[in-house]
Amino acid sequence: MATDIVAQLADSLAKTGVEDGELSYKGQGRKLDDAKSAEDIVKEIQDFEGLQALRLEGNTVGVAAAQAIAKALETKSMFKRCYWSDMFTGRLRSEIPPALNSLGDALMLAGARLTVLDLSDNAFGPDGVKGIEKLLKSSASYTLQELRLNNCGMGIGGGKILAASLIQCHKNSSAEGSPLSLKVFVAGRNRLENDGATALAQAFQLMGSLEEVHMPQNGINHPGVTALATAMQHNTGLRILNLNDNTFTEKGAIAMAQALKHLRSIQIINFGDCLVRPAGAKAIAETVSEGLPILKELNLSFGEITEEAALAVAQAVKGKEQLEKLDLNGNCLGDDGCKSLKDAMEAMNIVDLLGSLSDDEGEPEDDDDEEDDDEDDDEDDEEVDEEEVEEEEEEEEEEEEEEEESNSNKVSTPAPAPRPPDVSSFLSFPSPDKLLKLGPNRTFLIEQQVDVSDATKTAEAFLKIASVYKEENNDVKNAVLDSIDALLRKAFATSSFQGYSFVSSLLVLLGLIKSEDKVKPVLVVPGHLQALEHIVRQDYFPKENMAVLEAFMSRKTKALETCGNARNRLQSTLQKVQSES
């Protein structure tokens, strides 16, 4: 009899997790429609002293039941971990936000300090993210270490809301001396696409604390991948990076290879089904060979990699003592290429680390090469067109000079006035006088000169124009502001323009963050910050970039020492605009 009692007690302890402060209803399939159906859960929560974790996975929770459970959580100040994945099965999407709001409000009221928030496999969409927005911005999330939102259907809108919430949480927690230091981020299968990924990249760069990032199957292309790459290099403690089944192409893969050079703690890289292609694979191989000393797994499967690139990858992992698996399956090696790869791995005594090659796609067809050639031809045509335009411009300038010389030889013709400086002269050596002499068409001329699809070139042009800003000279001041407004309004209206990249380039050029390309920062003058203060108040400037700007402007740095007043005004404006939005 005593044995049965002990067994029952052990079973009860196993179910509720009393030993580590955890109460679990995981996988019980309960249908909690109202307060009555949740009565026993509510009572157990109320009676549980020192409750730290609640598992509700595999149940379905309605609004009224969530409110009842929330009421019981309001006194649980030691609460830390929410395991709430797959708990809205069969519910209307409109039910989920109020349910999450109730639970979040309770945790905030309790004074909880969360370390884990898992809401995976709840198809709540962007509205569901709004349901946890307040919680994520609150002090309850300042201590958050794991955020798991896998398979939630957030979409681009949800990704942006999530990013803004994390940035605000970091800002609020930093103000209290304990910045948000998220370690694990999981958001696979969420249709984040480029814009959602780019927004989240801003938060990742700001935090700089990530150790695991899992974002597979999100429809992210090279612009989003590039933004993530820039952010990842600031998370130097990163151990796991899983971006499986997104579309890198060469551009994204090369950007990610550059980022990996900063990540010496990386252990698992999953770029499978990411279309890294030969050039991308070679770039990654170069990074692997030069560093990544504790790499354990490298997945470059299904990436249209050819034999030569695959052999480069194999050579790169030689000497990686902790390597456990290299996955190159599903690429374009062909029978001979697969044999060559295996032979190379055999020669290095690491063939047992090579995964299966059973799904190899065979050598690439000639049609693919022809398509690549066509793309190259298109690029060449564009270059030829640019050269022709430049030649035509040079010919026109020569003709004008000849005409001027001819006119000067005529006795009856007075000497012509000096030609005003052109835009390229102003942008090469900016001065207030040159800007004013561009005349009333200066904004149009500058727009025509600057390639606004290139975020870095746009940032460089902005800083050059802003460098001549003079608060006390209205003519110069208005010319500067009109010019940058026209330039940036056009840039931000261009579909291919990446606002996040523009802000990152600005921070690099101002010397506030280091660049992997060793870009030489400009000498910061008050005009740069005064112009920045102006643009952040304009409707074309994305509000989601302001918190990043404010964070870097708040840091102590020599680059801004000579611009104290302008810096203070910019910080004040950033805070004001954010509070109004």
Side-chain angles (χ1 to χ4, degrees), residues 29 62 119 194 212 262 277 353 376 400 404 474 488 553:
L119 288 165
N194 290 333
E212 295 184 27
H262 300 262
R277 292 181 175 156
L353 304 182
D376 293 338
E400 289 173 3
E404 287 174 3
N474 283 334
L488 295 185
M553 287 297 158

Side-chain angles (χ1 to χ4, degrees), residues 197-318:
T198 299
L200 285 165
Q202 297 180 55
F204 296 163
Q205 181 168 331
L206 199 58
M207 290 186 293
S209 56
L210 289 167
E211 296 179 5
E212 295 184 27
V213 173
H214 303 264
M215 296 175 66
Q217 292 184 303
N218 269 297
I220 307 170
N221 299 326
H222 76 81
V225 172
T226 300
L228 287 171
T230 301
M232 288 306 113
Q233 68 187 34
H234 294 273
N235 290 265
T236 54
L238 195 68
R239 296 182 295 105
I240 300 174
L241 181 56
N242 176 8
L243 295 174
N244 187 283
D245 200 7
N246 290 291
T247 308
F248 283 34
T249 67
E250 294 92 333
K251 290 181 180 179
I254 291 170
M256 197 58 74
Q258 290 298 316
L260 288 171
K261 292 180 179 180
H262 300 262
L263 306 177
R264 292 184 59 80
S265 298
I266 199 80
Q267 296 178 10
I268 297 174
I269 300 171
N270 187 345
F271 297 161
D273 206 9
C274 285
L275 208 65
V276 299
R277 292 181 175 156
K282 288 178 182 178
I284 292 168
E286 181 182 347
T287 296
V288 172
S289 65
E290 293 174 353
L292 314 193
I294 58 174
L295 185 65
K296 291 184 178 181
E297 293 184 21
L298 176 59
N299 184 347
L300 296 177
S301 60
F302 298 93
E304 291 189 0
I305 299 171
T306 53
E307 178 184 350
E308 181 186 2
L311 290 172
V313 173
Q315 188 65 38
V317 299
K318 179 183 179 182

